[in-house]
Amino acid sequence: MFRTALRNVLSHKARLLMTVLAVMLGVAFVSGTLVFTDTLGNAFRNQSAKSYDGIAVAVTTYADQRDEKSGAIDDATLKKIRALDGVASATGRVDGFAGVADPDGKLIGNGWTNTGSNFAPGKDGEDAQYTFTDGSGPTAAGSVALDRDTAKKGEYEVGDTVRVATTGPVKEYTLSGVFTTEDGAVNAGGSLVLFDTPVAQQLFLRPGEFRDVTLTAAPGTSDQQLLTAVKPLLPENAEAKTGKVRADEQADQTETALSSLNKLLLTFAGIALFVGVFLIANTFSMLVAQRTKELALLRAVGASRRQVKRSVLLEAAVVGLIASVVGFALGLGLAVGLRSAMSLIGGKIPAGPLVVAPLTVVAAFAVGVLITVLAAWLPARRAAKIPPVAAMNSQYAGATVKSLVLRNSIGGVIALLGGAAVVGGAALAGSNGQMLLAGGAFLALIGVIILIPLLSRPVIALVRPLLLRLFGVSGKLAAQNAVRNPRRTGATASALAIGLTLVTGISVLGVTLGQAVDKVTTDNIRADYMVSMASGDALDESALTALEKADGVTAVSPQQAVWLDIGDTSLSASGVTPGDVQKVLTVDTVAGSLDSLGKGEIAVSDKTAKSHGWKTGDSVPVTYQDDKKGSLKVGALYKDNEFLSPVLIPRDVVAPHQGRADIREIWVKTDGGASAAHEQALVDALGDNPGMSIKDRQDIRDMFGGSINLAMNIMYGLLAMALIIAVLGVVNTLAMSVFERQQEIGMLRAIGLDRRKVKRMIRLEAVVISLFGAVVGIGLGMFLGWAIGQTVSAEIPQYVLVVPWGRIAVFLLLAGLVGVLAALWPARNGAKLNMLTAIKTE
């Protein structure tokens, strides 16, 4: 039986090719994902260890430039640390946002990855954290050093003038040196600028203060001893840990971040393999059907049912093993490609070997072989039931009416339970509703897949008259062939249905959320421009002053973050410019007047006022951020707005209580609306600062809705593999169907059906099956998209279900195209059959 199984695999190489391809793609995705994430994890772990190499203790204070009370390490404390027994060196560090302009004046890097720090040389004049390849570190106020990649991108050489943007006005410095570093921000595609220590302190914290300190131990002193000795000298909020612990924490954070990517990619690999199950099961079902007499003959000469079943499963195992070997090799190439792709888009991955863990190899081969064997189990079971007497019959009846009724009954119950759970989850909403919905969606999908053979006849019957009218006998035969074997049609269409269920559901949800976000943005923003730091840091007040003086500007108001204790409640507030805030943002008053802001009063959202029992004219006790107390009068109530805090307060009221204003964005209204001239006026007013971002209304809409579109595009890309496997399934089904129907096609040719019409018949059959799967998938996807949207609709203002009919039409067209492309090879082979040979074929 073992030799028989191997002979069958070798004799059906072409027919098993599509199955091998489907399993190969799934295994490649799984193995490539695991190798890629293991390689990244190992590289970043090694980088973390290297960045803390030689560091005994690392101290972090989380000191804030805007809060003078936040504990930092001053020069006096640093001297005490250096004087401790066992301390070989103690280096103070301070960092923050610093961006460098390229030759076109644009920011090098990604904003949040652009950092600046201080050059801290030891007695030898070197800073152990950096290795200079050209020049030396900055030791004067007017000089800086750049990492090698940034210097290369900006085309800078030692002695050149470099424009550097921080949260304040852009400044020019002389480049003193170029260095290499293992800094994580640089490896993420950002930049690192080194300043002289007093300059860095002035820019990022306060003169004479450091945010972090790293210590090295003298010979004979353990890291733990040093840690114990330094802790009593640190401010309250400081956190001291050994260098090894810090390195491990960084590595763990990296692995946590990578695990999310790992789970996402493996989820889509699972979807692709799930789709592949239908292709595999269909292939082996057709092979079993074609070899009915052969298998019956084996039974007649003494093979037991168990032996026949094992023979088919062994064939599947051999196919799975071959596909796994090829897929694993392809997965290694995929991992290398992903690593290279990250480098191309600006993410610098630390050097390191490709990591192929034993668990990855086991997982890849287990997935490939087990999935194939499990998919072939039902066909093998059916093969074992073939009676020996079938060897003497030209045909053997397949599924009985009883089995079909049982299948449809089970499918109907599962689909109803799934549908009920989906509707219940949509009504329940929230996290509990989403969990119920997820279970219901799975059941609904399984139920529909089971029922697809039953659905195929009535659905395809609807298009049969159209096919007959448009394509004559070819259309009629195509429709009849598509429903001749409902199980085969259902299994083929199921693969496409699964893919399009996911794609349609994502599209409905994504377009709906995108339009809701877009409407919120459009309805609530009146400004023509939003100005912010590319890094997300707070803007300097000098930017606000400059914008107020810019040509063409008619209104300017910041969103200055403020925290107030009003009564016994801590509330976030927005420091705004009275008279201008309502010109740049939509503030719908429900009581009082926003003019009261100009009198030093506050405006409160209606929901906040209701929850606290406030009304216009009330005076409320306030404690500011500097702990000073006072009272403020409620001058207006306004409708809740996603772009405003619960409280609006005039900037000049909070200015005396904030050391440095926390301005995250500035809204600007111009005379006549946005234009190239107005945008250039803003750029000029801000000193052509590459670190500042100026967005017009369309940019703002793209910013809020862009993440949704990006997520949808990523999903489409990842689901593409599942759809490719579905296409392979259509090709495989048609090719084997043509092989099965050689005699029939020969008879059709003999009675006058020419080659062109044979091709058309097979192509139409493929299109009908593809469109049937697409219709089922799109219908189920729209239902699930609606249900998921209902669970989050209460949290999203302006939520209204949007059905993207244009995209759905494209999906249907693509499904039809899939049918046409999938039929090219089978149709060509069918048309080339010699009619006399085909008629003799048994």
Side-chain angles (χ1 to χ4, degrees), residues 57-62 73 211-213 227 230-231 234-242 246 249:
V57 175
V59 180
T60 303
T61 66
Y62 307 104
I73 297 176
R211 186 172 285 116
D212 306 319
V213 174
L227 179 64
V230 78
K231 278 187 175 181
L234 302 178
E236 288 185 8
N237 73 328
E239 188 178 59
K241 295 181 180 180
T242 63
R246 285 288 189 198
E249 286 180 347

Side-chain angles (χ1 to χ4, degrees), residues 5-6 9 280 284 310-324 365 368-374 376:
L6 291 180
V9 171
I280 298 164
F284 279 94
R310 285 178 181 172
S311 174
V312 176
L313 291 178
L314 184 59
E315 289 180 46
V318 171
V319 170
L321 183 62
I322 294 170
S324 297
F365 280 83
V369 175
L370 286 178
I371 289 292
T372 311
V373 171
L374 287 174

Side-chain angles (χ1 to χ4, degrees), residues 341-672:
M342 285 191 69
S343 299
L344 289 175
I345 62 176
K348 182 182 175 184
I349 300 174
L354 200 67
V355 178
V356 183
L359 183 61
T360 300
V361 179
V362 172
F365 280 83
V367 164
V369 175
L370 286 178
I371 289 292
T372 311
V373 171
L374 287 174
W377 185 79
L378 281 176
R381 187 169 173 270
R382 284 197 291 270
K385 290 183 177 181
I386 295 174
V389 71
M392 294 178 286
N393 297 334
S394 59
Q395 291 183 342
Y396 171 66
T400 64
V401 173
K402 179 181 178 181
S403 69
L404 291 174
V405 170
L406 179 63
R407 171 180 177 142
N408 294 335
S409 299
I410 293 173
V413 170
I414 293 175
L416 284 173
L417 288 174
V422 169
V423 173
L428 188 60
S431 58
N432 291 333
Q434 289 167 2
M435 291 179 63
L436 179 62
L437 192 151
F442 179 74
L443 288 176
L445 185 61
I446 296 298
V448 168
I449 289 169
I450 294 174
L451 288 173
I452 272 188
L454 177 65
L455 297 172
S456 63
R457 288 187 181 276
V459 173
I460 294 176
L462 293 175
V463 299
R464 186 181 299 172
L466 180 64
L467 292 174
L468 179 60
R469 188 177 302 113
L470 294 178
F471 303 103
V473 67
S474 295
K476 180 179 180 180
L477 290 171
Q480 290 175 343
N481 290 333
V483 294
R484 175 186 293 184
N485 190 329
R487 288 194 177 200
R488 181 189 303 167
T489 298
T492 305
S494 292
L496 272 173
I498 293 168
L500 283 171
T501 294
L502 297 172
V503 169
T504 304
I506 290 168
S507 296
V508 170
L509 188 61
V511 171
T512 298
L513 293 177
Q515 290 205 13
V517 170
D518 188 66
K519 186 168 176 56
V520 168
T521 305
T522 304
D523 289 350
N524 291 312
I525 296 176
R526 294 180 177 177
D528 297 313
Y529 296 99
M530 183 185 79
V531 178
S532 61
M533 292 299 300
S535 61
D537 290 322
L539 288 154
D540 191 80
E541 286 189 84
S542 60
L544 179 62
T545 304
L547 290 170
E548 289 172 340
K549 298 176 181 178
D551 293 339
V553 171
T554 58
V556 177
S557 182
Q559 280 272 51
Q560 182 174 330
V562 180
W563 282 96
L564 302 172
D565 288 335
I566 303 179
D568 57 355
T569 305
S570 182
L571 290 173
S572 65
S574 293
V576 297
T577 303
D580 280 2
V581 62
Q582 58 266 48
K583 296 177 183 177
V584 296
L585 296 171
T586 300
V587 188
D588 293 328
T589 55
V590 295
S593 171
L594 288 178
D595 293 339
S596 61
L597 290 172
K599 303 173 186 177
E601 298 174 2
I602 61 173
V604 183
S605 72
D606 53 354
K607 290 183 180 179
T608 302
K610 184 178 180 181
S611 65
H612 290 84
W614 299 334
K615 59 183 183 299
T616 55
D618 288 351
S619 290
V620 294
V622 176
T623 302
Y624 296 99
Q625 287 176 247
D626 59 357
D627 293 332
K628 292 185 179 179
K629 300 182 183 297
S631 65
L632 291 170
K633 184 177 180 180
V634 179
L637 303 181
Y638 60 90
K639 289 182 181 179
D640 256 25
N641 184 318
E642 289 70 32
F643 287 85
L644 294 173
S645 300
V647 177
L648 300 183
I649 186 169
R651 288 191 62 249
D652 55 3
V653 172
V654 295
H657 306 287
Q658 279 190 321
R660 182 181 176 186
D662 188 0
I663 301 173
R664 295 295 166 171
E665 63 262 345
I666 301 173
W667 301 96
V668 182
K669 185 76 173 174
T670 56
D671 183 17

Side-chain angles (χ1 to χ4, degrees), residues 585-775:
L585 296 171
T586 300
V587 188
D588 293 328
T589 55
V590 295
S593 171
L594 288 178
D595 293 339
S596 61
L597 290 172
K599 303 173 186 177
E601 298 174 2
I602 61 173
V604 183
S605 72
D606 53 354
K607 290 183 180 179
T608 302
K610 184 178 180 181
S611 65
H612 290 84
W614 299 334
K615 59 183 183 299
T616 55
D618 288 351
S619 290
V620 294
V622 176
T623 302
Y624 296 99
Q625 287 176 247
D626 59 357
D627 293 332
K628 292 185 179 179
K629 300 182 183 297
S631 65
L632 291 170
K633 184 177 180 180
V634 179
L637 303 181
Y638 60 90
K639 289 182 181 179
D640 256 25
N641 184 318
E642 289 70 32
F643 287 85
L644 294 173
S645 300
V647 177
L648 300 183
I649 186 169
R651 288 191 62 249
D652 55 3
V653 172
V654 295
H657 306 287
Q658 279 190 321
R660 182 181 176 186
D662 188 0
I663 301 173
R664 295 295 166 171
E665 63 262 345
I666 301 173
W667 301 96
V668 182
K669 185 76 173 174
T670 56
D671 183 17
S675 66
H678 283 148
E679 184 170 344
Q680 188 59 49
L682 299 185
V683 170
D684 293 341
L686 294 171
D688 195 15
N689 191 324
M692 291 187 182
S693 169
I694 301 174
K695 292 182 172 66
D696 61 20
R697 290 173 66 88
Q698 186 58 50
D699 293 333
I700 296 168
R701 292 166 68 182
D702 293 342
M703 177 181 69
F704 287 106
S707 57
I708 295 175
N709 293 329
L710 177 62
M712 287 176 62
N713 290 334
I714 291 173
M715 296 291 187
Y716 288 156
L718 292 172
L719 287 170
M721 190 174 71
L723 294 175
I724 290 172
I725 293 175
V727 173
L728 295 178
V730 178
V731 175
N732 204 31
T733 298
L734 287 173
M736 298 182 77
S737 178
V738 167
F739 179 82
E740 270 184 2
R741 288 153 39 198
Q742 288 186 69
Q743 191 175 52
E744 174 189 318
I745 293 172
M747 288 294 295
L748 290 172
R749 293 274 290 112
I751 62 176
L753 196 70
D754 60 27
R755 289 184 175 182
R756 182 171 58 85
K757 290 183 179 179
V758 168
K759 285 183 179 180
R760 181 184 296 168
M761 176 187 72
I762 296 171
R763 281 198 296 264
L764 288 173
E765 181 182 348
V767 170
V768 166
I769 293 174
S770 298
L771 287 175
F772 168 60
V775 168

